Amino acid sequence: MTTSTIFVPAAEKLSRRSGQIRLHGPADFEGMRKAGRLTAEALDLIGPLVKPGVTTAALDKFVFEFARDHDAYPAPLNYRGYRKSICTSINHVVCHGAPDDKPLRDGDILNIDVTLIVEGWHGDASRMFAAGEPPRRAQRLMDVTYESLMRGIAAIKPGATTGDIGYAIQAYAEGERCSVVRDFCGHGLGRLFHDEPNILHIGRKGEGVPLKPGMFFTVEPMINLGGYGVKILSDGWTAVTRDRSLSAQYEHTVGVTETGCEIFTLSPTGADRAPIR
């Protein structure tokens, strides 16, 4: 913990300030449950639509209409100039891929990242999907990435630190001969889309910010089959692996409780696990 870290009541500020971490109460947890549940439902429903020949633009349209029909709003739409409702990151795209009219091919893997705003609260989650039959190496990568996410979440409890989360993810992923992307991280959220603290997916036990009940944040490791280097394409959004190796990501929104953590974006059907073919 650095001396600049300050914990503040959730209602005190509605803008991000470095070092100020909001702590939320029971009513806030209920708001996040609603947002997380609807986000998980959207991802549950989009899964069967992912198949060869389908465009990511069609998937984007589906989520926009789903949000509209449920009195929600897709947070990415018009966020800092982004023009789509979801992010769709295919094969060697690490994150922030924009939907387009190019059809998915058999064997493509893709991450679909959905954030829905429900009554002012943000539910943020992403999952991996496969169009048709993925290569064996791609299936293994998705399995490793999902396990990395869940090991990171298992480290969350009062008295632990953000470094404990990163250590759990990094130790497992690198032990499976994969690499952890350094350029992007999880983040606090609630009534803001992006807030303090940053959640790194690498780290050392006992280092970083201490976890306290009432903290809300995402855990969203990006794992590559090759090196961890990435680059941003000319659109200013799309991040790809420098060596063009496959990349995968899973994400949940969580809240720290008195005894551990609550995952707000769990699928009630278990569909948020790595796809099994």
Side-chain angles (χ1 to χ4, degrees):
M1 176 180 178
T2 64
T3 56
S4 61
T5 301
I6 302 172
F7 295 92
V8 298
E12 189 166 310
K13 300 289 183 182
L14 285 179
S15 61
R16 182 172 186 169
R17 293 196 176 186
S18 180
Q20 292 194 349
I21 299 173
R22 272 165 260 270
L23 300 179
H24 300 81
D28 303 333
F29 271 79
E30 185 53 39
M32 290 296 283
R33 290 184 189 112
K34 291 180 181 179
R37 188 160 52 240
L38 193 66
T39 297
E41 183 180 348
L43 285 164
D44 281 357
L45 292 173
I46 208 170
L49 305 179
V50 177
K51 58 186 66 176
V54 171
T55 68
T56 50
L59 302 177
D60 182 75
K61 182 175 183 288
F62 171 82
V63 172
F64 175 81
E65 293 177 348
F66 176 87
R68 179 198 61 196
D69 294 344
H70 290 82
D71 297 320
Y73 187 83
L77 185 59
N78 298 319
Y79 178 78
R80 296 185 177 179
Y82 190 75
R83 302 297 296 274
K84 302 295 182 178
S85 296
I86 61 175
C87 294
T88 51
S89 302
I90 303 171
N91 294 332
H92 72 290
V93 178
V94 175
C95 60
H96 303 156
D100 59 25
D101 293 321
K102 183 178 179 181
L104 293 171
R105 300 170 301 175
D106 185 44
D108 280 345
I109 62 169
L110 72 156
N111 175 270
I112 300 179
D113 193 338
V114 175
T115 305
L116 297 183
I117 306 172
V118 180
E119 298 176 3
W121 296 98
H122 291 73
D124 190 357
S126 76
R127 300 179 197 167
M128 294 301 298
F129 299 90
E133 188 73 24
R136 184 173 298 179
R137 69 184 187 282
Q139 181 66 60
R140 177 178 174 273
L141 174 64
M142 291 188 287
D143 293 340
V144 168
T145 305
Y146 177 79
E147 182 66 20
S148 297
L149 167 69
M150 299 313 292
R151 290 189 180 216
I153 290 174
I156 298 171
K157 60 182 179 181
T161 67
T162 54
D164 295 339
I165 301 172
Y167 174 83
I169 292 168
Q170 183 179 10
Y172 176 74
E174 292 182 352
E176 293 293 323
R177 304 182 304 284
C178 296
S179 62
V180 183
V181 172
R182 271 78 163 155
D183 296 68
F184 302 96
C185 61
H187 53 89
L189 81 171
R191 290 195 174 274
L192 291 179
F193 192 1
H194 295 96
D195 204 353
E196 298 291 324
N198 288 331
I199 304 297
L200 302 181
H201 303 118
I202 60 172
R204 297 180 179 177
K205 287 184 177 180
E207 294 188 353
V209 176
L211 304 181
K212 293 190 174 184
M215 292 171 63
F216 295 162
F217 51 82
T218 68
V219 184
E220 47 183 299
M222 287 143 272
I223 309 296
N224 298 343
L225 272 183
Y228 60 73
V230 306
K231 63 179 180 180
I232 308 298
L233 299 186
S234 59
D235 63 7
W237 286 100
T238 308
V240 301
T241 55
R242 285 191 173 274
D243 58 10
R244 296 188 65 84
S245 63
L246 291 175
S247 185
Q249 180 187 20
Y250 283 88
E251 174 184 14
H252 274 310
T253 296
V254 305
V256 183
T257 66
E258 295 291 340
T259 58
C261 79
E262 178 176 348
I263 304 175
F264 297 123
T265 48
L266 274 178
S267 166
T269 66
D272 41 12
R273 296 184 60 87
I276 299 173
R277 301 288 167 168

